[in-house]
Amino acid sequence: MNPRTCDLDTPTDTPPAIPPLRDDERQRCEVWTRVMGYHRPVASFNIGKQGEFGERRPFVERPVA
């Protein structure tokens, strides 16, 4: 086995540690939503639509007894 590779099949192996990113290395996550049958990034919404998006609540269906 190559010493530079990691075989995760054995329970004693742990994945290699990933160093945390600095703030200047991070990439902003772009959130998309479905609007009128197609997908658009929320960042392209006007202030009012962004506010409406922030107020949305997920629909939770109750089980039928």
Side-chain angles (χ1 to χ4, degrees), residues 4-7 9-10 13 15-16 20-21 24 26-27 30-32 36 38 40-41 51-52 54 59 62-63:
R4 296 185 62 95
T5 62
C6 182
D7 181 17
D9 291 335
T10 58
D13 289 340
L21 294 175
D24 63 330
R26 294 181 179 272
Q27 181 177 0
E30 187 172 46
V31 178
W32 286 58
M36 300 294 291
Y38 58 96
R40 292 188 57 192
E52 289 176 10
F59 177 77
R62 294 187 182 133

Side-chain angles (χ1 to χ4, degrees), residues 33-35 45 51-58:
T33 187
R34 188 165 116 10
V35 179
F45 291 175
E52 289 176 10
F53 180 80
E55 293 174 356
R56 288 185 185 174
R57 292 182 293 159

